[in-house]
Amino acid sequence: MAETMTYKGHPVVRCDNKIYYGEPYNPFIVVLIILENKKVGENTLPSRVLVQLQSTDPALAMSSEKIIKESERKNLFDALEIGSVWLEKQG
């Protein structure tokens, strides 16, 4: 079984341009959507990231209903930082 990556004690899972941060069985999860990338040397790094605090309540049918907070950041680190703050405040 593959090892799960974590950040500040919460799991981080990437699927294409989306990164899911937090436990899906908790009331809230953070979704990071990579909007743009930039080339730095030989690496490609996110340069625009949409951060969303979302409810995991299955009774909310539309994804727009699930979004509690939303912000945009210029790099992945800042996006994870604001996401971790939001998760802490909700917990």
Side-chain angles (χ1 to χ4, degrees), residues 23-29 54-63 65-68:
E23 300 283 356
Y25 54 79
N26 285 340
F28 301 95
I29 193 166
Q54 293 186 7
S55 171
T56 57
D57 184 352
L60 300 174
M62 296 178 55
S63 62
E65 294 175 335
K66 294 182 179 219
I67 299 170
I68 309 301

Side-chain angles (χ1 to χ4, degrees), residues 10-81:
H10 299 287
V12 179
V13 178
R14 182 172 182 167
C15 181
D16 297 322
N17 69 330
K18 289 186 181 180
I19 300 171
Y20 299 92
Y21 175 56
E23 300 283 356
Y25 54 79
N26 285 340
F28 301 95
I29 193 166
V30 172
V31 179
L32 310 172
I33 303 168
I34 299 169
L35 302 172
E36 288 180 6
N37 293 297
K38 70 177 176 181
K39 192 87 166 155
V40 178
E42 294 186 18
N43 298 314
T44 302
L45 301 175
S47 58
R48 265 184 70 215
V49 182
L50 182 64
V51 186
Q52 296 178 336
L53 178 67
Q54 293 186 7
S55 171
T56 57
D57 184 352
L60 300 174
M62 296 178 55
S63 62
S64 62
E65 294 175 335
K66 294 182 179 219
I67 299 170
I68 309 301
K69 291 184 183 184
E70 186 173 78
S71 181
E72 192 173 307
R73 293 295 187 255
K74 294 185 178 185
N75 61 57
L76 187 56
F77 177 77
D78 289 346
L80 279 169
E81 276 297 297

